Amino acid sequence: MSCLGSVMVDLSDKLENPGESYSFAGHIDAASYSVGDKDLALPHGASFDVVFTNAGDGILVTGMVRAEVTGACDRCLEPASFEVAGEIEEYYLFEEPEDPDSYEDGFELIGSDRVVDLGDAISDAVVMDTPFVVLCREDCRGLCPTCGANLNEGDCGCADAAQEAWVASDENPFAALKNLKLD
């Protein structure tokens, strides 16, 4: 099932002959989608523009989907936003192939009603263009692992205090040299 919903396109009186093309553009009013454990918002939905082409044994769909996405920064948890511009490419066969195993990625069939659901193809393009790590800015410093302060707003001092404590401790591999007398 598509994470952005169904986008049904009726091709019943279109693309009757090989080589014919049909352009279609639209907008999906999806509010959000998830990638792994991340919930991401689509404040303005997603817009798409595709071209259907009769390739003889099926319909080739190519195009782009664009959206503004917002979510939480993976380092500091502040709001982050980015643009996705994913490529849509899908092939729908008119009839089941003689050797279904030859299609590594599987295949989709166009029903006798010649209605195509682009929802999965559009969702796949959005998910594939979503970055693995969402950042509020490229140089985000994240949160302090000791006190939880946002390091983008300033240094909390925990790193310096931890370093000083480590230098003074007996766990430091150079601690034995503290009492070394060089006379």
Side-chain angles (χ1 to χ4, degrees):
M1 181 65 191
S2 163
C3 64
L4 299 179
S6 292
V7 178
M8 306 304 276
V9 181
D10 187 0
L11 301 174
S12 56
D13 290 329
K14 300 167 187 70
L15 306 174
E16 295 296 326
N17 300 309
E20 290 184 345
S21 293
Y22 170 65
S23 296
F24 184 77
H27 184 80
I28 301 172
D29 289 324
S32 65
Y33 69 102
S34 296
V35 177
D37 60 350
K38 295 178 189 171
D39 293 323
L40 302 164
L42 296 166
H44 309 292
S47 297
F48 63 91
D49 190 7
V50 295
V51 176
F52 295 87
T53 304
N54 184 331
D57 63 346
I59 302 288
L60 173 64
V61 181
T62 56
M64 293 290 291
V65 60
R66 289 181 172 75
E68 179 186 336
V69 182
T70 59
C73 176
D74 287 336
R75 291 185 188 161
C76 69
L77 305 177
E78 292 292 320
S81 64
F82 57 93
E83 299 282 326
V84 294
E87 291 186 30
I88 300 168
E89 187 170 329
E90 196 71 40
Y91 197 72
Y92 299 91
L93 296 173
F94 290 127
E95 54 189 51
E96 189 159 341
E98 292 177 16
D99 184 16
D101 296 332
S102 66
Y103 291 84
E104 294 176 7
D105 296 332
F107 56 89
E108 299 265 347
L109 292 176
I110 295 177
S112 58
D113 59 356
R114 292 183 55 105
V115 173
V116 174
D117 183 4
L118 290 179
D120 287 336
I122 293 171
S123 294
D124 291 348
V126 169
V127 169
M128 291 301 291
D129 202 56
T130 299
F132 183 71
V133 177
V134 175
L135 298 176
C136 61
R137 62 184 204 216
E138 188 118 350
D139 63 342
C140 178
R141 294 180 61 209
L143 300 176
C144 173
T146 305
C147 70
N150 186 341
L151 297 175
N152 294 318
E153 297 171 359
D155 191 13
C156 61
C158 292
D160 292 337
Q163 175 136 0
E164 289 172 16
W166 181 76
V167 167
S169 77
D170 290 336
E171 305 230 352
N172 179 347
F174 300 102
L177 300 176
K178 278 194 281 189
N179 299 326
L180 181 66
K181 305 254 192 259
L182 296 173
D183 294 333

